[in-house]
Amino acid sequence: MKVCVFGAGAIGGNLAVRLLRSKRHEVSVVARGAHLAAIRSRGLTLREAGVDHTEHPLAATDDAASLPPQDCVIVTLKAHSMPAVAGVIGRLIAPGGFAVFAINGIPWWWQYGHVNRSATLPLLDPQGALWSQVRPERVLGCVVDSANEIVEPGLVLNKRANNWVLG
C-alpha cells in the first residue's frame, strides 16, 4: 500500500516512523524546512522511552504533487492549514484511495451522513474546499492521544501515550 503522511511534524513523524518500521507499506512524507532537510539527509528518528528508531521514507518532499497517487493519505496538519491544501490532498488520493485526518476536535466533514449530507462546517472549511476537493466519502477520522515534540530537525520525541482511535 502506498501511504503518504502529509505533515510529518511531531504527530505525523511519530506515525511515519511506526509505519516505516512495520516494513508493510511504501511510506512517503510531506514536510518542510529544516525538518525536511534533516529527513532527507539522515532519515526520520522517533525517540521513545530513551530508544531511537530511525527510518528512511521512500520519498520526503515539500511538494506533494511530486508524489504518485497514494492509497492512503494521512493528514496530520493543524486544522487551520488544511483548506489551503485541499486540492493537493484531493489529487494525491488514488482512485479507490482514502484520506485519514488525524486531528483532535470536530472535523470539517462532521455533518456528512448526519444532519445535512452536503454541508461542511464553515469555521473549519470556510470556502468548502475540503468538502469539494477531498470529499467526505473518501475520509476516515482519527483522534490522536499522543504527546510528541520535534526536539531538533529530523528527531521526534514521544513523551507519553500513543493511542490512535481510527474510524
Side-chain angles (χ1 to χ4, degrees), residues 74-126:
I74 303 170
V75 183
T76 56
L77 300 173
K78 303 267 190 274
H80 68 274
S81 304
M82 288 187 232
V85 293
V88 175
I89 294 168
R91 288 186 297 276
L92 190 56
I93 303 168
F98 60 97
V100 175
F101 282 80
I103 58 175
N104 289 321
I106 295 173
W108 58 268
W109 47 266
W110 177 254
Q111 296 187 86
Y112 182 72
H114 292 290
V115 178
N116 184 344
R117 291 185 61 93
S118 62
T120 189
L121 293 177
L123 184 61
L124 301 173
D125 188 17

Side-chain angles (χ1 to χ4, degrees), residues 6-88:
F6 197 108
I11 293 291
N14 174 339
L15 181 58
V17 170
R18 291 175 189 285
L19 288 169
L20 286 159
R21 288 186 69 210
S22 78
K23 309 288 188 220
R24 301 176 85 181
H25 308 289
E26 297 175 22
V27 180
S28 299
V29 299
V30 176
R32 61 185 178 186
H35 189 57
L36 173 60
I39 293 169
R40 285 176 169 164
S41 66
R42 300 187 312 268
L44 181 58
T45 301
L46 173 63
R47 180 172 293 155
E48 182 177 44
V51 178
D52 287 0
H53 304 282
T54 301
E55 297 291 337
H56 298 269
L58 179 67
T61 184
D62 58 0
D63 178 15
S66 68
L67 299 174
Q70 303 289 302
D71 301 307
C72 175
V73 178
I74 303 170
V75 183
T76 56
L77 300 173
K78 303 267 190 274
H80 68 274
S81 304
M82 288 187 232
V85 293
V88 175

